[in-house]
Amino acid sequence: MKKKIILGLIILLALMQFKGIDRSNPPVEENEDFFAVHESPTETRSLIQTACYDCHSHTTEYPWYSHVAPISWWLRGHIDHAREKVNFSTWSRLDNSDRLHALKECQEVLIDKEMPMLPYMIAHREAWLDEEERQDLAQFFQSIEASIKE
C-alpha cells in the first residue's frame, strides 16, 4: 500500500509539471518607470532594484525553480499580487493619491520587515536588507511622498 501511495504522488507530481506558468514579462516603457519619475542616489536605486524589482516590476528574472510545479504556481501568484500592490514599471500611470498610498505601504513593509519576503531573501542573498538600509529606503520613500504632497 505504501508503494502505491508513493507511486501515486510521483505520478501526480509529474503530471503537475505540464501546467506551467507564464514566465514572460510585459514590455517595459522606460519613461513609465519609477526612476524615470523620481531621481534617486545610485545606492538607493540599486537597493530598490535588488530587493523590490524582481516582484514589483516587469523586469522579473525567473529562477530555475520557476519551472517546477507547484512552487512555480506559488511564485507566479506572489508576483501577480506584488505587481497589483506596487508596480515600479508602471509608476507614471498612477495618479498622485495611488502613488502616495504605494509610498506609504513601501515604508510600512520595510519598517515592519515584511518585505522583502523571507523566502525571497533566502533564495536571493543580495536582497537581505540590514536595519540601516531599511531605514534609508523608508526615508527615501518618505521624501518622495513629501515631494508629491507639495
Side-chain angles (χ1 to χ4, degrees):
M1 180 67 169
K2 192 175 185 180
K3 287 183 183 180
K4 286 183 180 182
I5 292 172
I6 292 172
L7 181 62
L9 288 174
I10 290 171
I11 291 170
L12 178 63
L13 254 170
L15 290 172
M16 289 167 57
Q17 303 316 305
F18 290 103
K19 178 72 172 118
I21 63 166
D22 178 9
R23 284 180 291 280
S24 63
N25 286 314
V28 175
E29 299 291 332
E30 295 297 325
N31 62 330
E32 293 183 352
D33 187 80
F34 179 83
F35 295 113
V37 178
H38 304 290
E39 289 188 31
S40 65
T42 303
E43 185 176 317
T44 302
R45 181 184 190 123
S46 179
L47 279 175
I48 293 170
Q49 287 175 324
T50 301
C52 310
Y53 262 56
D54 227 13
C55 297
H56 292 280
S57 78
H58 291 158
T59 60
T60 304
E61 293 182 24
Y62 290 92
W64 66 267
Y65 51 85
S66 69
H67 295 275
V68 180
I71 297 168
S72 59
W73 305 340
W74 176 80
L75 181 66
R76 181 79 243 177
H78 277 276
I79 291 169
D80 289 345
H81 180 72
R83 288 177 180 171
E84 286 173 14
K85 288 286 190 181
V86 175
N87 189 334
F88 291 110
S89 291
T90 59
W91 189 260
S92 70
R93 296 181 199 170
L94 299 176
D95 62 29
N96 279 346
S97 66
D98 289 335
R99 287 182 189 176
L100 290 170
H101 178 75
L103 290 163
K104 184 62 81 183
E105 286 290 316
C106 289
Q107 294 169 60
E108 288 176 13
V109 298
L110 282 163
I111 298 304
D112 295 344
K113 298 182 180 173
E114 295 173 12
M115 289 286 152
M117 292 176 59
L118 183 60
Y120 182 80
M121 292 189 302
I122 290 169
H124 302 270
R125 301 294 293 167
E126 69 280 5
W128 283 93
L129 300 173
D130 62 31
E131 194 57 38
E132 184 179 346
E133 291 169 327
R134 287 180 179 283
Q135 291 295 326
D136 288 348
L137 287 178
Q139 288 173 355
F140 172 74
F141 289 129
Q142 187 176 32
S143 71
I144 299 291
E145 180 184 9
S147 71
I148 291 172
K149 288 180 178 178
E150 291 177 353

